[in-house]
Amino acid sequence: MSEKRTVTTRDIAEQLNLSVSTVGRALSQDPRISQETRARVEQKAGELGYVGNLAARLMRGAPSTVVGLMVPDVRNSFYSTAAHALTQSMGEGGYQVMLSQTDDDRDAELAQLRGLAAAQVAGVILVPSPNPRPEAVRLLRDLPNVQLLRHLDSIGHHWFGVDDRGVLREATQHLVDLGHRRIAFIGGQLGFSTSNDRLSGYRDALRGEVDESLVVHAPPSSVEEARRTVGKLLDRKDPPTALVTASVRTTEGVLQELTSRGVDVPTELSVVGFGDESGFSWWGPGLTTMALPVHEVATQCSVWLQRRIRSGGIKGPYGSSSHGYLVERGSTAAQ
């Protein structure tokens, strides 16, 4: 049985009575080609089963339409929400998103960046690890890039994120206003810009009156570690009366452990979560939590990077910090 012949731009051109160069430009979203012609070419390409040859296009000098997205953990809804928004926004601009997971491992991060650089991607959107390899930083200097949610000065000064300090300040202040003073904090590993800022927001609200034994950290991607951590807090002789979490996965772990132990929330413990997942509203009495505009932040990031790619560069640093907001439900009560 003979193999199916690969469809080429010449086949499309012959079917539409167009030149090969016109077809190539239409498929690469060249603005010199009319919208009507581009639509005809794309329709015919779909009918014939055409698959573009990226390597050949790049050799001809055509710009890449692929953007790399590097995140630590695709299971974290923070990053899956961002990936969804970026894919939508980039697609509207004629770009495709190539997703990479780093697990916050600097060697994995470097390997992914090498692959993206070798593929000559148009740009990179990344959630950086806390301590990237020097080679990774050098590779990023040669690629249009923007940091998402986290930011490191060693990589650059273009980033889009959430006001993490303000988010935890508001979450903790809500508990302070209810009369709580023994408020525990479960945050991610220090060293990440997000973790550091969230801890600072918690401290801001307590105005220096912090019981350091109630400040604990767990890997931001580990639900099981979050369960163990809150378990230790609850087993103390003097347990906290309230708790704030500083990551989505940590919140999930805390809720699982509280449910497993049958803790009466908010009578025994008031809880403020981080992020507003679909299940948080119906967990127990309903979780009071900080809702975060991740979809909007990712979309803004996408629009900015597309502009940077097309303009050949944007001078000066750029940072955008969006605010979250408190969603009050039944998991908090006056002390």
Side-chain angles (χ1 to χ4, degrees):
M1 184 176 179
S2 60
E3 294 184 1
K4 183 178 178 180
R5 188 176 70 84
T6 301
V7 177
T8 68
T9 53
R10 183 173 299 280
D11 297 319
I12 300 171
E14 289 175 353
Q15 293 255 348
L16 297 176
N17 197 26
L18 296 171
S19 68
V20 174
S21 60
T22 296
V23 170
R25 291 191 182 107
L27 291 171
S28 62
Q29 303 296 311
D30 192 313
R32 291 174 291 180
I33 305 302
S34 70
Q35 185 66 40
E36 180 185 355
T37 299
R38 275 187 277 170
R40 287 177 59 215
V41 169
E42 289 171 0
Q43 180 178 350
K44 182 58 66 175
E47 292 173 359
L48 297 177
Y50 171 78
V51 178
N53 187 326
L54 177 60
R57 289 182 62 249
L58 294 175
M59 288 178 65
R60 294 195 300 268
S64 172
T65 59
V66 175
V67 170
L69 171 60
M70 301 176 60
V71 300
D73 182 5
V74 295
R75 298 168 301 175
N76 189 324
S77 63
F78 232 53
Y79 303 129
S80 58
T81 298
H84 181 260
L86 288 165
T87 300
Q88 283 186 319
S89 179
M90 283 290 178
E92 291 169 0
Y95 291 91
Q96 297 80 48
V97 175
M98 180 184 295
L99 178 63
S100 301
Q101 179 171 292
T102 66
D103 293 314
D104 276 326
D105 182 294
R106 64 199 302 236
D107 292 321
E109 180 179 60
L110 174 57
Q112 298 286 1
L113 274 171
R114 284 172 174 164
L116 293 173
Q120 299 182 49
V121 294
V124 176
I125 300 168
L126 76 156
V127 182
S129 67
N131 187 27
R133 293 283 185 190
E135 184 185 343
V137 175
R138 289 195 297 270
L139 286 170
L140 286 166
R141 287 181 187 142
D142 295 328
L143 290 168
N145 71 83
V146 60
Q147 297 175 71
L148 178 65
L149 301 176
R150 300 177 188 164
H151 60 278
L152 290 176
D153 289 342
S154 60
I155 291 176
H157 302 287
H158 306 304
W159 74 281
F160 287 79
V162 173
D163 177 12
D164 290 294
R165 187 167 185 165
V167 165
L168 260 295
R169 182 190 304 118
E170 184 172 350
T172 310
Q173 187 63 50
H174 172 67
L175 294 169
V176 170
D177 292 343
L178 289 172
H180 293 276
R181 294 298 177 266
R182 291 187 55 72
I183 304 171
F185 170 91
I186 303 182
Q189 291 172 298
L190 292 178
F192 297 104
S193 61
T194 47
S195 299
N196 297 342
D197 288 345
R198 292 167 195 172
L199 177 58
S200 294
Y202 163 80
R203 294 186 184 281
D204 289 346
L206 292 177
R207 298 172 180 82
E209 298 180 9
V210 178
D211 181 344
E212 296 297 339
S213 68
L214 298 179
V215 178
V216 291
H217 302 277
S221 62
S222 176
V223 170
E224 286 304 316
E225 188 61 35
R227 293 191 64 168
R228 285 190 288 271
T229 299
V230 73
K232 291 177 181 177
L233 288 170
L234 295 174
D235 289 340
R236 292 169 53 122
K237 292 181 179 179
D238 54 348
T241 64
L243 167 70
V244 290
T245 63
S247 82
V248 172
R249 297 284 280 174
T250 295
T251 303
E252 292 171 353
V254 166
L255 299 188
Q256 288 182 22
E257 186 64 17
L258 294 179
T259 300
S260 175
R261 287 174 173 247
V263 176
D264 187 354
V265 175
T267 304
E268 296 179 58
L269 182 74
S270 285
V271 181
V272 179
F274 189 87
D276 194 16
E277 302 305 285
S278 59
F280 288 179
S281 62
W282 50 261
W283 175 85
L287 181 67
T288 296
T289 192
M290 294 301 298
L292 307 166
V294 177
H295 192 282
E296 292 79 1
V297 169
T299 300
Q300 292 169 7
C301 179
S302 166
V303 171
W304 185 89
L305 182 60
Q306 290 179 59
R307 179 184 165 210
R308 185 180 183 194
I309 292 169
R310 291 182 174 127
S311 68
I314 297 176
K315 294 182 179 179
Y318 186 88
S320 175
S321 179
S322 299
H323 298 284
Y325 58 93
L326 183 72
V327 178
E328 291 190 53
R329 298 192 180 106
S331 66
T332 55
Q335 170 63 11

